[in-house]
Every structure is written in structure tokens, then in C-alpha cells.
Amino acid sequence: SRIVEDTVFSGDKRYIISSNLYIAKDVTVTFEAGAIIQFYEDTQGYYDTLYNSPTITNDGGTLIFNGTQDNLIQIGPSEKFYDSPCIIYSWGMTIFNHCNMENVYAQKSDYATNSGVKIDYSTINYLNPAMYEYSEGKKVFCSNKLVFYVTSISNSVLMLNNYAGYYFGRNGEYSGGGI
């Protein structure tokens, strides 16, 4: 679906992202404190997470997850798809404020001049998210690559669980070993 006008999603409700969601250029979408954004629907049989994960794509608008210290916004996969990625692409501005995120792959565009992802007062937890595809009806592991490309991150915690190594930066800095 596509959001084409300014929209506010009230807090203390669960919003399920089971298919691609697009935010149009110059549109502001706000999730208020206490909202739960759940990727994947537990009633779904399976998702081909390599090619067919539900995504939120900010096509040049502003996407704001605006939690508070006492009422965080929760963003993550459903219980059934606990190891699947929650993908958010930003060709506009995406802001996470007071959020608790699990397996969120946040990525700003290199090609859109005004794009960005800003994270403040949030916890980002990766529970070894894995990308899968289905071949002949069987789930096949493809990758557990962490994709997290942001403009700024402050006052936040990044927790990486079950990663054998990590890679930070665009200039080739690499450090192997467990985290």
C-alpha cells in the first residue's frame, strides 16, 4: 500500500506490516509513543525473506517513530518470524526516537541528497537475523548480513547477538571475532 497524505498512527496499538508499505514524497508519517510495529503476519505460511520481506520504503517523505522515555515504540518481527529482518529504506528522512528495535535493517540512500536515518535514545537488538529464500518448497539460508546505514546515532545502544564478526564504516574498517 502507499501513504500519500500526512498520517499519524496513534500509540498503544499494534500495526502489522505484512506487505510493502510506501511513503510518498513530501508526506509525513508519524507513529506515536507506545505504538507497536510488527513486521510479518503469524498466520502467513512463510516469507521468502531474501526477495519478499515486507518493507517500509520512505520515497522522499518524513517517517517519524516518536516514542518517549516512558512509552517506547516497539519495532520488530512477529514471534513466528523472530529471526527475519524488518527492512526500512529511506530516500527521505527517517527518525527513530525512543524506540526498541529488533532485527531492523535501516538504510539511507546514497543517491537521494536529503535522505537520512537518525536514531536517538533507542535500543537496536539483532538476534542473528537471517535472510532465507525458498527452493523447491524448502527454506534455504542465504545470509545474515547486517545492513544498518544511518546518518546519525546518539544516546543509543546497539546489541549484536550471535555474530561471528562485524564490519563498520565505509572506509574498510573491519574487526573479526565474536561480539
Side-chain angles (χ1 to χ4, degrees), residues 121-138:
Y121 294 102
S122 296
T123 299
I124 306 111
N125 188 14
Y126 286 93
L127 303 170
N128 198 20
M131 297 285 225
Y132 295 96
E133 64 180 335
Y134 282 77
S135 176
E136 299 175 7
K138 295 180 181 175

Side-chain angles (χ1 to χ4, degrees), residues 10-162:
S10 61
D12 301 319
K13 290 187 179 178
R14 180 180 303 271
Y15 300 96
I16 297 176
I17 310 296
S18 59
S19 62
N20 294 337
L21 174 65
Y22 296 91
I23 298 165
K25 184 176 182 173
D26 300 324
V27 169
T28 298
V29 174
T30 303
F31 286 91
E32 293 182 331
I36 298 170
I37 296 89
Q38 174 188 308
F39 283 71
Y40 308 95
E41 207 166 356
D42 276 343
T43 56
Q44 184 79 16
Y46 68 88
Y47 286 91
D48 181 338
T49 56
L50 183 63
Y51 301 108
N52 204 19
S53 290
T55 62
I56 297 176
T57 301
N58 177 354
D59 275 341
T62 302
L63 174 59
I64 304 168
F65 298 95
N66 199 21
T68 65
Q69 182 176 358
D70 297 325
N71 204 4
L72 299 174
I73 290 180
Q74 306 291 328
I75 308 169
S78 70
E79 189 174 323
K80 180 178 178 181
F81 296 96
Y82 71 93
D83 64 347
S84 297
C86 303
I87 301 170
I88 301 174
Y89 295 117
S90 186
W91 277 261
M93 182 55 67
T94 300
I95 300 167
F96 299 91
N97 186 35
H98 290 286
C99 295
N100 183 22
M101 301 181 269
E102 287 194 8
N103 294 353
V104 172
Y105 284 42
Q107 186 170 359
K108 78 173 218 57
S109 170
D110 272 341
Y111 306 105
T113 344
N114 296 322
S115 78
V117 174
K118 295 182 180 181
I119 300 171
D120 204 15
Y121 294 102
S122 296
T123 299
I124 306 111
N125 188 14
Y126 286 93
L127 303 170
N128 198 20
M131 297 285 225
Y132 295 96
E133 64 180 335
Y134 282 77
S135 176
E136 299 175 7
K138 295 180 181 175
K139 190 175 181 180
V140 178
F141 174 78
C142 293
S143 167
N144 67 344
K145 181 173 126 179
L146 171 64
V147 178
F148 205 77
Y149 181 33
V150 301
T151 309
S152 69
I153 185 167
S154 59
N155 306 305
S156 298
V157 176
L158 173 62
M159 296 185 298
L160 304 175
N161 296 302
N162 299 321

